[in-house]
Amino acid sequence: MDPARTAAVVLVGGQGSRLRPLTLTTPKPMLPTAGVPFLAHLLSRIAAAGIRRVVLGTAYRAEVFEAFLGDQATGGLEGLELECRPEPEPLGTGGGIRFAADALEPGYDEVVVFNGDILSGVDVRAVVAEHRAAGADATLHLVRVPDPTAFGCVPTDDDGRVLAFLEKTLTPPTDQVNAGCYVFRRDVLDAIPSGRPVSVERETFPGLLESGRRLQAHVESSYWLDLGTPASFVRGSADLVQGAAPTAALPGPVGTALLLAGAKVAPSASLTDGTTVGADVQIGDGSRVSGSVLMDGARIGDGAVIERSVIGPGASIGDDTVVRDAVVGDGASIGASCELLAGLRVWPGLVVPDGGLRFSGGA
């Protein structure tokens, strides 16, 4: 990869509504994921590919990203030239790509675009190499999924040329779906209309096909996960902790659990399945935490069970409470002997008394 020729744009402007209440105060790419903001994992992969110039296309809570970049003087990303470009108004995926790329200097003749909420093991160098070898105007990273009915699909010919972009259908002709990583020739990217909303999926790519331009597909079976829901967020964090997903930003060794500075875990407590225990978290006697994210300052009482859940910063969980497949927002207080199950979400600051929320009749 020639860093003087290839730059990157990362789209991080979304509101992350599917992850509320976690994203009420923190943009989705900045949520602590395996101990650091998810964006740090993505940037580590970009740096490992040999790209140095990166523009972040921001919108929602853009100031959080600015603060993050200001903290990176010794944060392991020193080799990257990072810049935030806040959108003045929502511009969609295509419009956002064009607006962010306008900050790049003229010398960059190809731009790699990343969605800021995708955890991926894609070989970025291989995508760029295929783009160049095919002489493509744009190249898309595609992944094969077991159930393509949940996605728009992208059929290709035997040479990897993209044939169409299809909306969700019950009878998809292929299991290949758009994985949210693209390579554009700079002149093609600069032709995206500026100053108005543009969808890269519904307008830019179909328009290129209609005009006879070459759209190439790079199909891989590498790790890929959209972190847009609480279930996928905790899964992605656990996969990073356990080494199933690639990163150079994990703040500790790969293992069954990751503990940050100041975390205090009772000797009789158990941590399994890629759990992250944030800074200054306290976990009481006999508690069991599995595949979960406990954010900084959380408090877990004695005998609690936390499975595949997110406990927000400063939140507290009482003795003998069960939290399974649930989200507890910032600073919420859950009393003893409660049950939070099956996708329940507790908003920040809410106080639930002892036994005040249950899914069964037990004491």
Side-chain angles (χ1 to χ4, degrees), residues 153-170:
C153 27
V154 185
T156 55
D157 66 15
D158 292 340
D159 294 323
R161 187 165 188 156
V162 172
L163 300 176
F165 288 83
L166 304 177
E167 297 295 332
K168 296 177 184 178
T169 173
L170 294 177

Side-chain angles (χ1 to χ4, degrees), residues 305-311 316-318 320-329 332-347 350 352-353 355-360:
V305 176
I306 316 292
E307 296 179 354
R308 300 178 302 276
S309 295
V310 184
I311 310 300
S316 62
I317 306 298
D320 301 313
T321 282
V322 175
V323 184
R324 185 175 292 124
D325 301 307
V327 174
V328 177
S333 177
I334 310 300
S337 301
C338 289
E339 290 178 331
L340 284 64
L341 310 177
L344 187 73
R345 305 186 190 202
V346 177
W347 247 239
L350 187 69
V352 178
L357 181 60
R358 295 192 61 82
F359 281 71
S360 70

Side-chain angles (χ1 to χ4, degrees), residues 257-280:
L258 173 68
L259 277 68
L260 300 189
K264 297 180 180 179
V265 181
S268 59
S270 69
L271 308 174
T272 60
D273 298 331
T275 287
T276 295
V277 181
D280 301 317

Side-chain angles (χ1 to χ4, degrees), residues 63-147:
E63 72 281 359
V64 178
F65 295 98
E66 294 280 5
F68 170 72
L69 297 193
D71 290 340
Q72 291 308 300
T74 57
L77 303 175
E78 300 90 334
L80 294 178
E81 301 173 33
L82 297 165
E83 178 181 352
C84 288
R85 189 159 167 80
E87 293 180 10
E89 59 182 341
L91 294 172
T93 50
I97 292 169
R98 169 64 195 274
F99 183 78
D102 282 347
L104 294 172
E105 296 73 16
Y108 296 104
D109 55 17
E110 60 190 12
V111 179
V112 187
V113 178
F114 300 87
N115 282 351
D117 56 0
I118 299 295
L119 179 58
S120 172
V122 61
D123 184 340
V124 178
R125 293 175 184 267
V127 181
V128 172
E130 181 154 353
H131 173 77
R132 294 173 181 170
D137 296 288
T139 297
L140 292 78
H141 172 218
L142 306 182
V143 294
R144 294 188 173 95
V145 296
D147 181 15

Side-chain angles (χ1 to χ4, degrees), residues 200-275:
V200 71
E201 301 88 356
R202 293 181 175 86
E203 182 176 345
T204 304
F205 290 142
L208 290 171
L209 285 178
E210 289 173 7
S211 63
R213 307 297 286 271
R214 176 75 184 229
L215 265 65
Q216 185 71 12
H218 178 83
V219 184
E220 282 190 351
S221 298
S222 57
Y223 182 99
W224 182 82
L225 186 65
D226 178 348
L227 298 184
T229 67
S232 62
F233 172 73
V234 295
R235 176 186 161 194
S237 181
D239 285 348
L240 286 162
V241 170
Q242 296 176 108
T247 180
L250 191 69
V254 167
T256 191
L258 173 68
L259 277 68
L260 300 189
K264 297 180 180 179
V265 181
S268 59
S270 69
L271 308 174
T272 60
D273 298 331
T275 287

